[in-house]
Amino acid sequence: MELNGFSVIGHRGACGYAPENTLASFAKAIELGVDMVEFDVQRCKTGELVVLHDTKVNRTTNGKGSVGDFTLADLQKLDAGKGEQIPTLREVLDLVDREARVNIEIKQEGIVDDVAAIIKEYVTRHGWSEKDFLVSSFWHRELAAFKKIYPGVATSALFVCDPAGGIEFVSSLGVDAVGCSIEFISKELVQDVHARDKKIFLFTVNAPDEIRYALSLGVDGIFSDFPDRVLAAINR
Ligand code: G3P
Ligand code: MG
């Protein structure tokens, strides 16, 4: 991944404008001009990697149950909002088609081999570069496993808590970046991460005053449901 420069990252596509993690949401993010689209990946019952945030389909579709209990065909029958379907990882990559970089967030253990295989397929057969990908997860050991399989692709360790205490550990795993919530950001944290030659990305920042605050601290990227607000704040 091209980790240089500031990245405007569309969270779950541009989910302030279209149903999250759907092709419509990714198309909207690209139309707005994001540098990168972020989405969440899990495996369904028949083995395909699908793009969905929750482990259950209940919140974002008209169905009920765990993703892992659905075949791909049954998942595709669900309405993911405004008539959209739950897409597969391949469908999202085909739609994005290098119009933006992609941040694949690994939402469960045991899928890093499959994620690496699909990235490799797009690099070797579809003209993508390893630099077009960022692989992230709250499951830090999965990132270490991914890095062993595919060291050329950048990784980012996500934190639900203050990352300060965990930076030493994730550095030892060889991650390239850290992702944290705006509630834990500080100038000191940004400096600590940068001193380790890593990048820091902030999620999920939607309020214009918070976007300005994050920018003032020198973070390397901002995830937003409304990425046009981040673009406006940096005059793009
Ligand atoms: O990667 C940033 C963000 O997507 C992490 O949180 O819960 O929205 O996947 P979540
Ligand atoms: Mg995510």
Side-chain angles (χ1 to χ4, degrees):
M1 181 209 165
E2 188 51 71
L3 284 174
N4 295 323
F6 179 81
S7 294
V8 178
I9 311 165
H11 185 234
R12 308 180 198 173
C15 71
Y17 297 109
E20 67 177 57
N21 282 332
T22 62
L23 295 184
S25 191
F26 301 123
K28 182 66 185 176
I30 291 165
E31 180 197 316
L32 292 172
V34 299
D35 300 304
M36 181 157 54
V37 289
E38 184 267 356
F39 51 85
D40 310 284
V41 168
Q42 308 180 49
R43 185 154 54 199
C44 68
K45 188 176 178 181
T46 37
E48 295 85 356
L49 294 178
V50 295
V51 174
L52 193 82
H53 181 272
D54 300 0
T55 53
K56 292 192 169 188
V57 300
N58 303 29
R59 178 179 62 84
T60 55
T61 78
N62 57 347
K64 276 197 182 131
S66 298
V67 183
D69 293 334
F70 279 83
T71 63
L72 179 61
D74 284 340
L75 276 181
Q76 289 173 329
K77 288 178 192 146
L78 301 178
D79 186 340
K82 297 186 177 166
E84 291 292 312
Q85 283 183 349
I86 295 172
T88 63
L89 172 56
R90 280 197 178 86
E91 286 170 337
V92 174
L93 295 179
D94 290 341
L95 176 107
V96 175
D97 197 23
R98 300 195 68 198
E99 293 290 321
R101 288 174 276 130
V102 294
N103 175 189
I104 301 174
E105 186 189 336
I106 293 178
K107 274 290 185 216
Q108 67 181 136
E109 292 177 286
I111 64 171
V112 291
D113 289 283
D114 291 357
V115 170
I118 289 182
I119 294 175
K120 191 148 269 180
E121 175 189 321
Y122 277 73
V123 169
T124 54
R125 290 196 219 148
H126 302 297
W128 289 64
S129 156
E130 290 169 0
K131 289 185 166 51
D132 293 323
F133 293 93
L134 174 66
V135 170
S136 65
S137 190
F138 290 104
W139 298 86
H140 298 160
R141 291 191 188 280
E142 295 301 294
L143 290 178
F146 177 86
K147 201 79 184 167
K148 281 199 183 120
I149 303 167
Y150 209 157
V153 172
T155 54
S156 178
L158 303 175
F159 286 86
V160 277
C161 54
D162 185 347
I167 286 184
E168 192 75 47
F169 174 67
V170 296
S171 294
S172 76
L173 299 179
V175 302
D176 305 280
V178 167
C180 84
S181 165
I182 182 147
E183 64 189 293
F184 300 114
I185 195 67
S186 66
K187 192 82 195 162
E188 293 69 33
L189 179 64
V190 174
Q191 284 168 351
D192 184 12
V193 174
H194 285 167
R196 294 168 194 271
D197 204 22
K198 303 194 184 307
K199 304 296 180 188
I200 181 160
F201 302 119
L202 216 55
F203 60 84
T204 301
V205 195
N206 293 329
D209 59 331
E210 291 191 334
I211 290 170
R212 283 191 295 274
Y213 173 63
L215 289 169
S216 77
L217 296 180
V219 299
D220 302 289
I222 294 178
F223 295 87
S224 183
D225 301 336
F226 302 91
D228 50 323
R229 296 178 185 171
V230 185
L231 288 161
I234 59 170
N235 295 315
R236 259 210 263 152

